[in-house]
Amino acid sequence: MKREFKLAVAIFIAIFIIDQVVKFGFANLGWDANGSVMSLKLAYNYGVAFSMFSFLDEYLKYIQLFIVVLGSIYLYKNIYLFKEYYIAIGLLYAGGLSNILDRFTYGAVVDYFYWHYGFEFAIFNFADVMINVSVAIIIFIQIRNNRREKNLKEKSSL
């Protein structure tokens, strides 16, 4: 368990720092760049994905922090889940808490990846990508575990 915790913390620290440094560059140093497929363009998201819930304005950061606290309590009470999903949890916490810090620092989440080739896609950031990667890892582990259970049941019924 110590090994998993140390690795999750290392992942968290690395992703969190990288994301905050890049966001600082876009918010304060004008790192914008235009391309034919994708542009790097500063945008502030006052909501969550696709600006949903932006009407919650100042309350959103506190709601999100409350959700993180609830999730942490749940993981503490179900430590076996942490052991199985520690990489995804490190990525998820890094991305989520980095975006929450943006709300306290900039008043909104700093976004900068803008895909515009063939279709226009929402502007997003590195933390958003890490959150999606963590969800993909969780889904992968769930599918793998379900297949293992199914195979064990089939073998035991023979």
Side-chain angles (χ1 to χ4, degrees):
M1 183 62 180
K2 283 184 181 181
R3 181 184 149 291
E4 290 89 354
F5 184 75
K6 286 180 182 179
L7 188 53
V9 169
I11 289 168
F12 171 84
I13 291 170
I15 298 300
F16 188 88
I17 289 172
I18 291 167
D19 188 57
Q20 284 298 305
V21 167
V22 172
K23 288 174 177 177
F24 179 86
F26 279 96
N28 298 295
L29 304 176
W31 286 3
D32 290 8
N34 291 319
S36 59
V37 174
M38 184 183 80
S39 295
L40 300 173
K41 179 178 181 152
L42 174 63
Y44 292 101
N45 184 351
Y46 296 93
V48 292
F50 307 105
S51 296
M52 292 185 300
F53 305 115
S54 58
F55 65 90
L56 291 171
D57 196 28
E58 190 66 25
Y59 300 107
L60 191 54
K61 60 188 168 195
Y62 298 109
I63 293 168
Q64 290 175 322
L65 271 177
F66 181 70
I67 291 168
V68 169
V69 169
L70 286 179
S72 299
I73 292 168
Y74 182 80
L75 281 174
Y76 181 75
K77 290 184 177 230
N78 298 280
I79 202 73
Y80 69 94
L81 289 173
F82 180 83
K83 189 167 184 174
E84 186 164 8
Y85 298 100
Y86 65 95
I87 292 173
I89 290 167
L91 293 171
L92 183 64
Y93 271 63
L97 288 172
S98 184
N99 281 345
I100 292 170
L101 179 60
D102 287 359
R103 293 186 188 286
F104 284 96
T105 307
Y106 303 105
V109 175
V110 175
D111 287 332
Y112 47 84
F113 286 122
Y114 175 48
W115 181 274
H116 52 77
Y117 181 76
F119 61 94
E120 289 193 23
F121 193 72
I123 299 177
F124 57 98
N125 62 42
F126 181 63
D128 298 336
V129 173
M130 293 299 102
I131 291 167
N132 285 303
V133 167
S134 72
V135 171
I137 291 169
I138 291 167
I139 291 169
F140 172 79
I141 292 170
Q142 284 292 300
I143 290 169
R144 184 193 65 196
N145 289 349
N146 286 341
R147 286 184 180 166
R148 283 182 183 166
E149 280 184 34
K150 184 179 177 184
N151 287 340
L152 286 173
K153 285 180 183 177
E154 286 175 0
K155 287 180 183 178
S156 65
S157 66
L158 293 177

